[in-house]
Structure formats: structure tokens, C-alpha cells
Amino acid sequence: MNSGRAWVFGDNVDTDVLAPGKYMKSGIDEMARHCLEAVEPGFAGSVRSGDVVVGRRNFGTGSSREQAPQALKHLGVAALVAESFAGLFYRNALNLGLPAVVCADAGRIRDGDRVRVDPEAGRIENLSTGQTLACEPIPAHLMQMLRDGGLMPHLEKRLARQRETGESRL
Amino acid sequence: MTMATQTLSQKIIARAAGRKSVAPGEIVTCRVDLAMMHDSGGPRRVKPMLEKLGAKVWDPDKIVVITDHYLPANDDESRRIIHIAREWVKEAGVTRFHDGEGICHVVLPQKGYLHPGMFVVGGDSHSPTGGAFGAYMFGVGATEMLGVLVTGEIWLKVPHTILVDWSGKLGPAVSAKDMMLALCGRLGLDGGQYQAIQYAGDAISALPMQERMTLCNMAPEVGAQTGLVAPDAVTRDFLESVGASGTDGETWQGDPGAPLLAHHRFDASTLEPQVAAPHSPANAAPIGRHAGTRIDTAYIGACTGAKIEDLRMAARVLGGRRAAAHVRFVVAPASAHDQAIAAREGTLQILVDAGAELLANSCGICAGYGDDRLGENEVAITSTARNFKGRMGAASSQVYLASPYTVAASAIAGKICDPREFFK
Ligand code: SF4
């Protein structure tokens, strides 16, 4: 994975600021343009493909709305790093194929640092400081899904296999 | 070897996973007994994904679809989203479709779909509301729901149980909402660690079903995967009244002495009305801290705070009084069924006489999806669950969370007001 700029946020970044209700009717393009604007107005316009969003505790708290991780992914965010994630958001991010990595040392990443996240190895390299940070491994069954690109492509594979073998149940 | 003792959550999960027992931390795959979706995270999102996969739903009889987020549908996009839900249920053979009858979490148990021991997923973060009926119910996003619709299964990391124990008796004008705000204040937004909270104790046993729903509804506000209450006679009576099956449900109980992750004790008899300041439910404090704050809007709404029990609480305070002239007092009863009861018994008239503007039986301002939103710098006190920045309108709007009692008292006073003043 290539390196990207770290965008650092605080505790409890919630789904209402990630995916504001006002744009829930709109497509993901429009939604993504307003991602995080209530707390960081320039974010959507400045974030680049391959960048990494870093939070502290309980990143993604709130709603089940999948548009929260989807908007970040749509903007090109390559990975999320936080000391902890809200459970529902964590599931949603991985289901959409967006790596979410739990790192106790997330607080050591400064806004603007260049970082490289390796979810498979459970490691973050901070190219700006030369530090390497250890992360919690993603559970094996979720890592498998992530390698497939998320739950949709994962299910596509399972369905194709089922059709080949003629199994009745997935 | 004797089997390890298990909590109620573990027992339900073990049954759904086809196992005798499960241990916290294990990852298991469960068969889903029921999947609930609303118009926002439901058909409009899963239909295109199902089509892309060329897959059918695993069992249309185990699916419930309820429209609530985009109602009233007063623009083209909302109408389109609602239309997709109406068409999709026909296509998929889903007969348990409730269109415009109210907010999903309130309609679901009213229809008798929930009973103790069930393993249920809902396409909404407040799905743990169903835990009030002794079910294990939690929220999932749309893609995960798609996985359930296709396979009938979902993975789960077996949670530890956090016991939230309320002894004593609630005082006048204090309610389940205050209990939950107090919990948010003590544990913070992530104190639940995505584990299961079980509510127990004298004060919980004394609560009617809808108040228990409020407790479970807000378990996500402390970051728990779900909240639940073990079934008892109150549960049984409610289930009988709505014609639900599974009235043998009282057999669903945790083993005495089953290991807990944490045991939090609270005393209901000393609990004061709570108010959570902007922009987090964790900013909860006894009402004295915020009393006197001038408000523009008082909103009784949402699955959390506009059920019939909630409307009654508001009416008990209002009885014959009017909202202050400068206050927009808004009431959106959580379901048509609850509104009909309120109309029949006179509760609704008390609200209307107090100057309430009635909104549809839907998510309304709580979701912040429609045009009816809070304006710039508007200060509101609401009976809803969440007050994150910008959720219900402008980023500069200020939302204080409180019980229906406190919202009603504040509507009258025109500022945040202790409802106990009306019960002296
Ligand atoms: S009323 Fe509010 S909290 Fe309840 S389901 Fe609707 S948007 Fe969510």
C-alpha cells in the first residue's frame, strides 16, 4: 500500500458529521462533498486518494448509515486508524472494503504526517517521524472478506462457488 | 463436566448458532430469526445489490419492512425512496410491510413480531430497542443486511454482559430516559464497548414495556451492541396483549452467577431529571446544571421519546397549561397506534390544547432528513436519543436531550425547567 497524508481527528467522530442527514437523499457524490464539513470544512475538497483518516476513541459512533464509511471511501481514503471504533461503524467499513485498523498509539500520528498502513501485517509506518506503530490484527474471517474487496464481492464469490458445486445453501 | 453458566445474551446467541453454549469473545455464525429494515437503509439500498448478485432473499416471512425516515414524502427524492420500498416488498414476497404506521422500533413489537429468545437484526442503530422483549437484537448497515437477506446468517463476536442494576423507586417526573442519560453521563459514549448491556433491579421490574424500550433503545448511545431486559410478567402481559407467540418466554433467563464484564449500580430513588447538553448524550448532568437556558423549540418525538407512555408523561405536566409564546412546541407521536390511544384517552387533546403542532408518525426532525430541520443557532430541548452536531439541522443549532416530562415543563416555561416543579 502506498503512503498517504494523515488527517487527524479527535474522539467520538460521529456518523452525523461523516454523513450529514441533510444529504441522505442524495447520491454518494453529493454526500461525500459534505463529509466532515461540520468539524473540518475543507476536508472533502483537500483529501487525496490514498490518504488516511485517523481518530482517537470511538470513531464512527452513532447511526447504522453506511454512507459514513462509504463517503470516506468515495473520497479516496485508503484506510482508517483509531484507538477504537464504534462497533457498528467498524463492521460497515470492513463490509465496504475500507480497512479500519485499531491502533493504541493512534494518538502519536500528527495531522499532515505521511503514513503507510498495512492492515494485513497490523502495522503503520509513519514516514514523517520514522516510527512504526503496531495495530491489532483484523480477525481472520474479516481479513478474508477485506481481501475480496468487501462483503459484496465476497458474496459474489461464494454464490459463484455455490452455483458451480450445486450446493443448496451458502 | 458441568456447562459454564451463561448470561441471557449468551443463551440466545448459542441457540441461534446451533450450539449448547458460547463463550464471550468467540466468533460465531448465527441464524437470523427476523430481519427488520426501514426505507432509508432498506429496499432502496439492498434492492440494487440483490440484483447485482442475482440473488433472492432467504426467507420473505422472516423480513419486516417499515417506512418511517422519508415520511411524509414531500419531495421527489423521498417519494422515489418510498416507492422503491413499496415495489420491492411485492417483488420479494414480503408481507410484513408497514407503510406510514410509525417508527420501525415502535411498530415492530406492537405487531407482535418480537418475543423472548429471538435473534434479530435491524437495519438501524437503535434496533436494540427489541431487547426490551428479551430478544437479542442489534443494528447493522445496508451491506451487512444484504448479507443477511441472502444467507439468513450473520457473524457475531459473542459479547460480554454488562449488568446495569437499578435499585429503588423512581421519584415523580423521573423516567427511563433520565436513567439512560445518567448512564451516558457515567459510562461515556464508548463505555459499552460493543458488548451487551442487561438492565435489572427493582426499578427495572417496575417499568412498563415502553419504558424498558427506551432503556434498550439508547444502549447504542453508550456504545453497546445491544441492551436487553430479561422477560417477566410485564413482558408476558404485553406480548399477550399484542397477540405475540412465545409466551413461554419467561423461560429465557440468564444463569445465576454467570460471569459479567462489569456491574454498574444505580439508585433510582435519588435520580434527578437529567439533561444532556450539546453535542453529546454523554454531556448528561442533573437538570440544575442547565435549568434556565432559554429554548426556541421543544420537541416530543422519535422512537426514544414519543411512544404512548412518553406522550402521557408530557400530558401529566401540561394538563391545562400552554407552551410559552416564543416556543415552537412540536409533537410527533411515534406510531399511529399510539396516537390513536392518545386520542381516545384524551392525552392528545391535552397536548394540542397546550399548543402542540402535530407532525406525522415518523422520524421527522430526529433524523434530520427532511425540510423540517432546526435553523441556525436554534436552541431545542428534545425527547430524542442523539444530539450530535448538526444531526437535526444547522451545525450551529443546539440540542439538549431530556425526558418527555422535562421537555413538556420546558415548553411551558420557555426555558429548561425542572418538571418536578409541576408535581409538588
Ligand atoms: S426516530 Fe430518530 S432515532 Fe428513532 S429510528 Fe427514527 S431517526 Fe432513528
Side-chain angles (χ1 to χ4, degrees), chain A:
Chain A
M1 192 179 269
N2 294 327
S3 68
R5 179 200 193 282
W7 294 83
V8 177
F9 296 86
D11 292 340
N12 298 313
V13 171
D14 66 72
T15 51
D16 288 297
V17 299
L18 287 163
K22 189 174 176 183
Y23 307 102
M24 282 292 284
K25 276 180 278 197
S26 325
I28 193 66
D29 259 331
E30 173 75 2
M31 171 62 86
R33 268 198 287 281
H34 301 280
C35 179
L36 290 166
E37 75 181 356
V39 290
E40 174 99 39
F43 174 76
S46 319
V47 66
R48 294 282 164 269
S49 180
D51 284 357
V52 172
V53 167
V54 181
R56 299 294 293 269
R57 279 171 53 183
N58 202 27
F59 190 93
T61 186
S63 160
S64 63
R65 65 183 70 155
E66 217 169 56
Q67 287 87 339
Q70 198 185 7
L72 292 167
K73 191 176 180 195
H74 190 78
L75 292 169
V77 171
L80 308 175
V81 177
E83 287 169 28
S84 64
F85 289 91
L88 181 43
F89 177 90
Y90 179 79
R91 295 182 76 117
N92 283 342
L94 297 180
N95 285 333
L96 291 172
L98 177 61
V101 185
V102 177
C103 173
D105 292 325
R108 294 169 72 174
I109 302 170
R110 299 163 313 185
D111 192 60
D113 282 355
R114 289 214 74 77
V115 294
R116 182 184 289 140
V117 181
D118 185 343
E120 191 104 25
R123 193 173 52 217
I124 301 165
E125 285 173 67
N126 189 330
L127 308 180
S128 303
T129 62
Q131 284 172 334
T132 299
L133 308 175
C135 313
E136 279 179 26
I138 293 176
H141 74 293
L142 292 178
M143 200 58 230
Q144 185 57 50
M145 183 183 75
L146 203 53
R147 272 189 223 114
D148 288 345
L151 185 56
M152 267 294 278
H154 186 65
L155 281 172
E156 259 170 314
K157 265 175 77 172
R158 276 176 68 177
L159 283 165
R161 206 166 47 228
Q162 180 199 18
R163 281 177 193 126
E164 254 169 48
T165 60
E167 277 174 56
S168 63
R169 238 188 81 180
L170 271 174

Side-chain angles (χ1 to χ4, degrees), chain B residues 75-164:
Chain B
D75 59 53
D76 286 345
E77 206 42 38
S78 302
R79 281 189 284 272
R80 189 185 68 85
I81 291 166
I82 296 293
H83 182 73
I84 294 173
R86 291 176 184 154
E87 292 303 306
W88 183 79
V89 290
K90 282 186 245 162
E91 217 176 280
V94 172
T95 55
R96 294 164 158 192
F97 175 51
H98 301 287
D99 196 11
E101 293 181 43
I103 303 164
C104 59
H105 308 299
V106 180
V107 172
L108 193 70
Q110 224 157 56
K111 296 291 172 188
Y113 294 153
L114 293 177
H115 58 82
M118 285 177 86
F119 184 89
V120 191
V121 297
D124 188 274
S125 64
H126 287 107
S127 299
T129 311
F133 302 88
Y136 196 92
M137 183 164 183
F138 62 105
V140 298
T143 300
E144 187 122 54
M145 182 57 82
L146 168 86
V148 170
L149 294 181
V150 174
T151 65
E153 294 178 341
I154 192 165
W155 72 271
L156 181 84
K157 188 171 174 182
V158 179
H160 292 272
T161 294
I162 297 172
L163 192 67
V164 172

